[in-house]
Amino acid sequence: MQRHFASDNYAGITPEAWAALQDANRDHAPAYGNDAWTQRAADMIREVFETPCEVFFVFNGTAANSLALAHSTQSYHSVLCHEVAHVEKDECGAPEFFGNGSKLLLLPGELGKLTPSGIDDAIRRRTDIHYPKPRAVTVTQSTEVGTLYTPAELRAIGSMAKQHGLRFHMDGARFANAIAALGVAPREITWQAGVDVLCFGGTKNGIHVGEAVVFFNRELAREFDYRAKQGGQLCSKMRFVSAPWVGMLKDGVWIKYAAHANAMARLMHELVAAIPGVAILFPPQANAVFVNLPQPVIQKMWAKGWLFYNFIGEGGCRLMCSWDTTEEDVRGFAVDLAAAFAS
Ligand SMILES: *Cc1c(COP(=O)(O)O)cnc(C)c1O
């Protein structure tokens, strides 16, 4: 068996998620989310966030982000996002498609992060009728370049959003890694920072399929069930999307796995940073390490069978650790990398 560093979605399903799936595969149960598993999973998410939020399960992150943003805007609105945001770079235009034309406005920012002043500037730049009116802002936590917003940074963005009447959306495909790394309560970086809606990732944390769209702004959640259905995102055998969440949320399993992935990234960083010629591109604060490698070295590593991407975020090679990455995997990669430089 070989594990790779291409993405956390190369990994399989955690034993806990798998066991819950198997448990759900007994007898019959009501369809379309009217089953006990879906109820339980939504209740557990409310317990995690310590607030009565509205929860919807969809198949993937592109749908979660696009539908949540479409639900936060009218077609003549715009959404402020970082220039390397997944919604811009990796969703094939789905946010604009589901938003019926609502436009993403791209903002720069160090370390893959938006800043309150950047948001303020973007809004004040144009306020006339000819410009797509900013109505939402989206951040990614942890970010596309493996960094983290601090709770204070998120609160500052949240208050800027409020000041300008923007809805605050969070792409949390790797929310678990952020929670594990920051060691804060989930509420502190979501609704207490002003987040209206979170796309809470399950897949990259070890579920087979499915993300939760969590509305802290419950008024905004109105009729989202219809939008999800129209978007082809209402699963008829919903219990097979929701049950794994019960397995993962029980006893903090989701945080345990995310913490492990983060620890493997820290080890990867330590080992590869020590190899002469390797440049680390971003501080590795979650489960990814971004490095600059010479083209021949990349080719040698690929030829040895190590898979990793070199086009994510702002470029460079991304080494992504997952719930099942082992210390031997990381050490094996680092040994081969050192050899690739030496040969
Ligand atoms: C993986 C990922 C998503 C979700 O992608 P899908 O392939 O549509 O599930 C969303 N945002 C970020 C930052 C991601 O890395």
Side-chain angles (χ1 to χ4, degrees):
M1 171 163 122
Q2 181 161 20
R3 282 170 293 265
H4 300 291
F5 297 95
S7 184
D8 25 14
N9 58 19
Y10 274 48
I13 305 167
T14 65
E16 290 84 353
W18 186 268
L21 262 179
Q22 194 142 346
D23 262 5
N25 195 29
R26 295 176 211 277
D27 304 327
H28 285 202
Y32 299 112
N34 297 311
D35 64 279
W37 287 100
T38 305
Q39 186 60 48
R40 180 83 195 104
D43 284 344
M44 288 175 91
I45 288 176
R46 285 185 273 270
E47 283 162 26
V48 161
F49 289 98
E50 305 175 71
T51 192
C53 42
E54 301 284 343
V55 179
F56 304 86
F57 294 97
V58 299
F59 292 107
N60 61 38
T62 298
N65 285 334
S66 302
L67 296 175
L69 288 171
H71 217 59
S72 304
T73 52
Q74 296 288 338
S75 59
Y76 50 85
H77 283 145
S78 54
V79 176
L80 306 180
C81 71
H82 194 276
E83 58 196 4
V84 303
H86 197 272
V87 289
E88 159 66 11
K89 295 267 192 193
D90 299 295
E91 298 190 355
C92 197
E96 285 101 336
F97 176 74
F98 283 105
N100 285 314
S102 68
K103 194 172 171 18
L104 295 176
L105 295 184
L106 312 184
L107 308 187
E110 294 286 298
L111 305 180
K113 299 195 277 183
L114 297 181
T115 61
S117 64
I119 293 167
D120 198 40
D121 289 348
I123 290 170
R124 293 182 194 280
R125 197 175 306 144
R126 290 274 298 268
T127 52
D128 57 87
I129 190 76
H130 306 287
Y131 199 62
K133 187 176 165 57
R135 184 66 169 114
V137 58
T138 175
V139 298
T140 306
Q141 178 79 325
S142 54
T143 74
E144 285 78 2
V145 297
T147 58
L148 290 168
Y149 287 93
T150 64
E153 287 170 338
L154 291 169
R155 284 195 301 272
I157 291 173
S159 76
M160 184 58 70
K162 191 163 202 156
Q163 192 182 314
H164 289 296
L166 304 183
R167 265 81 183 249
F168 189 4
H169 167 267
M170 179 178 280
D171 175 349
R174 298 190 180 89
F175 185 77
N177 302 93
I179 290 297
L182 290 168
V184 297
R187 62 180 150 74
E188 292 177 66
I189 59 167
T190 54
W191 59 275
Q192 286 186 336
V195 172
D196 291 300
V197 54
L198 165 72
C199 294
F200 184 5
T203 310
K204 286 173 179 155
N205 194 208
I207 283 176
H208 68 307
V209 57
E211 315 280 293
V213 182
V214 182
F215 283 92
F216 304 109
N217 178 344
R218 295 170 76 198
E219 183 52 32
L220 189 59
R222 265 189 59 207
E223 299 186 348
F224 188 78
D225 45 351
Y226 287 88
R227 189 178 293 278
K229 171 68 188 184
Q230 185 188 51
Q233 292 292 317
L234 178 62
C235 180
S236 69
K237 290 189 180 176
M238 184 67 94
R239 66 188 186 282
F240 299 110
V241 172
S242 56
W245 285 85
V246 174
M248 287 292 279
L249 293 173
K250 195 159 174 280
D251 304 326
V253 165
W254 65 292
I255 299 176
K256 178 191 79 175
Y257 281 125
H260 171 78
N262 293 349
M264 291 300 100
R266 280 198 303 276
L267 177 64
M268 177 68 93
H269 174 241
E270 187 189 307
L271 297 179
V272 301
I275 300 171
V278 173
I280 305 292
L281 298 175
F282 302 101
Q285 297 171 336
N287 59 327
V289 181
F290 282 79
V291 292
N292 240 341
L293 300 176
Q295 222 19 260
V297 169
I298 294 175
Q299 295 302 334
K300 279 182 211 163
M301 291 301 280
W302 284 346
K304 279 192 179 160
W306 293 109
L307 302 183
F308 51 88
Y309 292 134
N310 63 348
F311 59 84
I312 307 275
E314 295 175 12
C317 297
R318 186 185 74 170
L319 308 173
M320 183 64 81
C321 297
S322 49
W323 69 269
D324 66 345
T325 302
T326 67
E327 199 175 315
E328 295 75 63
D329 298 332
V330 177
R331 292 191 185 281
F333 181 92
V335 165
D336 282 352
L337 186 62
F341 269 97
S343 68

